[in-house]
Amino acid sequence: MHTAELALSLLLVVIIVVSLLSNVLVLICFLYNAEIRKQVPGLFILNLTFCNLLLSASSMPLTLFGVLSNAHPGGQIFCQVVGFLDTFLTTNSMLSMAALSIDRWVAVVFPLSYHSRIRHRDAVIALAYTWMHSLSFSVVAACLSWVGYHQLYASCTLCNGRAVNAKTQFAIYTMVLHSLTFLLVSVVLCVTYLKVLKVARFHCKRIDVITMQTLVLLVDIHPSVRQRCLEEQKRRRQRATRKISTFIGTFVVCFTPYVITRIVELFVTEPFNPYWGVLCKSLAYSKAACDPFVYSLLRHQYRKTCSDIISRLLKRSSPNGSGHQQENGKIGRAKEIVKDEEVEARPTN
């Protein structure tokens, strides 16, 4: 095994493990916390987690097998099923990200009317569209036998037809697919999140003005406190930019090399380096490992839910924990009784 194959195999193993663990953790938080289930974005996150879990359990292990063995993983029908799932799940996850960006844009730009604009019924309609959109492209590819094992990516995915007419039709299909998924979602992400960033910067400026006016009025304030306030202003501005850059940047970095390679592959007859194809596919897979952190686990609500789950597990794992709590409770109640008796026994004037 070459060094490049070993490195790609290790990269795929890390992506699979991180993706499975992080998405399962998001699913546990969703089932554990009733507040998360009540929120409209929770439906989009649940759909995104579902797609990432299936992708991590179906396509990624077969790609790892293809890299390690340089062979066709499974039979032809099995590979077609996996290729169908790969197209459907990837498209569905992209559209789920677009739905999340629209939801956040409405929540930030129209905070007072958010609950009237975005309801659970609207989220269900949006999810139904994502499923219909994804199924339509996947079914067309499956019916025209455009899914199978692709040697360049060492995975079961979309592949070219053999006849010249089929290649032309496949090129049109590929261009339309990536235009209505990758390109469309990229535009939606940029437009919505940049508007969110504009609103966030506007609020930061208002807070900065109020802070500076307060600092001017407080003449006797210590210089260290003034310096901390100015540093907090700078961190507040950087925090908003960093979050928006993360949302857009992870999508672009993970999917752009793969999409560009698929499009260039349609018009170039010279073969690509197989390591490059597997690397592009691995980057696309890595989005499934990044999504739980970008959209869920780094948020305060999910972090608090995770800490609650861990604390509950630790309490259950300690056999003497409940006994100690009961003893401490009994001691506390005994002290309260003693204090009450002392108060009653005091002589009154």
Side-chain angles (χ1 to χ4, degrees):
M1 180 181 291
H2 296 287
T3 306
E5 293 178 352
L6 180 61
L8 290 173
S9 301
L10 292 176
L11 176 62
L12 282 170
V13 170
V14 172
I15 292 173
I16 292 172
V17 172
V18 174
S19 178
L20 287 173
L21 293 178
S22 57
N23 283 285
V24 167
L25 184 58
V26 172
L27 185 60
I28 292 173
C29 292
F30 182 85
L31 297 175
Y32 181 83
N33 194 327
E35 292 297 326
I36 296 177
R37 294 196 301 270
K38 292 179 182 178
Q39 297 173 358
V40 174
L43 295 177
F44 300 132
I45 293 175
L46 180 64
N47 187 65
L48 181 61
T49 304
F50 169 76
C51 294
N52 290 337
L53 279 175
L54 283 183
L55 193 67
S56 304
S58 59
S59 297
M60 295 185 193
L62 290 183
T63 303
L64 177 61
F65 178 82
V67 173
L68 293 174
S69 61
N70 292 321
H72 191 289
Q76 183 178 1
I77 297 178
F78 176 73
C79 194
Q80 288 179 352
V81 172
V82 175
F84 173 88
L85 287 175
D86 180 75
T87 305
F88 170 76
L89 296 173
T90 303
T91 305
N92 201 339
S93 63
M94 287 186 183
L95 295 175
S96 298
M97 298 173 206
L100 280 168
S101 68
I102 294 174
D103 176 82
R104 299 198 175 188
W105 169 68
V106 175
V108 173
V109 179
F110 308 102
L112 299 179
S113 60
Y114 168 75
H115 292 289
S116 61
R117 292 173 180 266
I118 303 294
R119 293 167 292 182
H120 279 83
R121 184 186 64 183
D122 302 324
V124 172
I125 294 174
L127 288 179
Y129 170 76
T130 62
W131 278 66
M132 292 295 296
H133 187 120
S134 306
L135 277 175
S136 60
F137 282 101
S138 304
V139 169
V140 169
C143 292
L144 296 177
S145 300
W146 286 342
V147 287
Y149 182 72
H150 202 305
Q151 188 67 38
L152 176 62
Y153 307 104
S155 59
C156 298
T157 182
L158 296 174
C159 57
N160 283 324
R162 295 181 180 178
V164 177
N165 294 333
K167 288 184 178 180
T168 304
Q169 295 174 359
F170 180 79
I172 297 174
Y173 167 84
T174 304
M175 295 293 293
V176 173
L177 170 65
H178 293 305
S179 298
L180 294 180
T181 53
F182 173 77
L183 183 60
L184 176 64
V185 174
S186 299
V187 172
V188 171
L189 290 179
C190 291
V191 171
T192 54
Y193 282 128
L194 289 179
K195 287 184 177 294
V196 169
L197 180 61
K198 182 179 179 180
V199 174
R201 286 180 173 176
F202 173 74
H203 288 298
C204 286
K205 288 181 180 179
R206 291 182 60 185
I207 296 173
D208 292 345
V209 171
I210 295 174
T211 304
M212 294 304 298
Q213 291 176 352
T214 305
L215 292 178
V216 170
L217 294 175
L218 298 176
V219 181
D220 298 334
I221 191 172
H222 195 273
S224 62
V225 178
R226 184 186 301 271
Q227 184 64 27
R228 283 199 300 269
C229 292
L230 296 176
E231 291 177 356
E232 180 62 27
Q233 290 181 6
K234 184 178 180 181
R235 283 196 299 267
R236 192 183 300 114
R237 291 191 295 267
Q238 292 176 349
R239 193 182 304 118
T241 305
R242 186 169 58 250
K243 286 183 178 180
I244 300 302
S245 301
T246 302
F247 290 132
I248 301 176
T250 53
F251 182 85
V252 173
V253 170
C254 292
F255 285 116
T256 300
Y258 178 71
V259 173
I260 291 178
T261 304
R262 294 301 307 233
I263 294 176
V264 173
E265 182 189 5
L266 299 172
F267 306 101
V268 176
T269 57
E270 297 180 0
F272 283 83
N273 189 329
Y275 300 137
W276 170 253
V278 177
L279 178 61
C280 292
K281 191 66 175 176
S282 301
L283 282 176
Y285 286 152
S286 66
K287 191 65 172 73
C290 296
D291 287 340
F293 300 98
V294 173
Y295 293 102
S296 304
L297 296 179
L298 295 181
R299 292 174 56 190
H300 173 72
Q301 192 174 23
Y302 282 84
R303 285 190 282 115
K304 186 177 183 302
T305 304
C306 290
S307 62
D308 292 342
I309 294 173
I310 293 173
S311 61
R312 171 171 288 190
L313 291 175
L314 292 177
K315 288 180 181 179
R316 287 183 178 180
S317 61
S318 58
N320 297 327
S322 60
H324 287 309
Q325 289 179 356
Q326 293 178 358
E327 291 179 0
N328 292 333
K330 291 179 181 179
I331 294 172
R333 286 194 295 271
K335 289 182 177 179
E336 291 178 358
I337 293 173
V338 171
K339 288 182 179 179
D340 293 338
E341 291 179 352
E342 289 179 354
V343 171
E344 293 178 356
R346 288 176 184 175
T348 56
N349 295 329

